[in-house]
Amino acid sequence: MTDEPGAPLGRMREISKKLIDPELFGDLFQQIVDTLPDALLVVDAAGTIKIVNQRLELIFGYHRLSLVGNKFDMLLPPDIRERHKEYFAGYFSNPSVRPMHKAQTLRGVASDGSGIAVQISLGPLISPQGIWAL
C-alpha cells in the first residue's frame, strides 16, 4: 500500500486527537517539555514561537515570556535571517523528522548578542492550529 502525499501527517492528526487528553495537556505537557535534556523550541508555520523549555531559556538567556509570541528568527544571526526564510518555508511544504544541515556549523544568537553553536533536528507537531515544527 502506497501512501498518498500527506497521508502520514493525516494519520498523525488522527492519533494525536486520540492520545492528547485536554485536561492533562497544559501542566503535564509543560513539565515533560521542561525536563527534556535538550533545548526545545516549537514554532508555527508563520515562525511564531509557541513553546520553549527551560533548557532553551538557560542556553539563550531569554525568559520564555520574552520568546513566546515573537518570531523565532530573533534567535538567528542577522546575516542569515533573510536567507533562512526560504529554508523555513521549504520545511513546512514537506515537514518531516530530520537533522538540519549536518555539513555546516549552525549558530544561534543569545540575548546578550553572543553566538551559540547549535545542533538542530526538526520534527512536525500536529496542533489544533495546524502543523508546527519542533
Side-chain angles (χ1 to χ4, degrees):
M1 178 177 178
T2 305
D3 285 332
E4 295 291 322
L9 291 176
R11 282 196 302 277
M12 286 173 57
R13 280 190 191 96
E14 291 306 310
I15 291 168
S16 69
K17 285 178 190 175
K18 294 175 184 175
L19 295 178
I20 297 174
D21 179 345
E23 292 181 23
L24 295 176
F25 186 72
D27 291 339
L28 181 59
F29 180 77
Q30 190 62 52
Q31 288 176 45
I32 292 168
V33 165
D34 281 337
T35 61
L36 295 171
D38 296 320
L40 176 72
L41 177 72
V42 179
V43 299
D44 66 11
T48 303
I49 299 170
K50 297 296 189 177
I51 300 168
V52 300
N53 69 354
Q54 288 176 350
R55 186 75 178 140
L56 187 127
E57 289 178 289
L58 178 67
I59 292 169
F60 281 87
Y62 286 98
H63 188 278
R64 72 185 63 199
L65 294 178
S66 64
L67 292 170
V68 173
N70 288 305
K71 298 296 184 185
F72 83 95
D73 65 359
M74 68 188 280
L75 302 174
L76 299 176
D79 62 323
I80 69 161
R81 288 179 186 163
E82 195 60 37
R83 182 179 45 190
H84 189 267
K85 288 179 183 179
E86 184 178 321
Y87 299 137
F88 184 78
Y91 177 76
F92 275 93
S93 69
N94 187 21
S96 61
V97 175
R98 64 177 177 83
M100 192 170 121
H101 296 291
K102 280 191 158 188
Q104 67 185 51
T105 302
L106 301 174
R107 304 213 40 92
V109 177
S111 63
D112 66 3
S114 63
I116 301 169
V118 295
Q119 293 179 347
I120 300 173
S121 293
L122 301 169
L125 172 69
I126 306 304
S127 80
Q129 294 80 27
I131 299 172
W132 292 354
L134 281 76

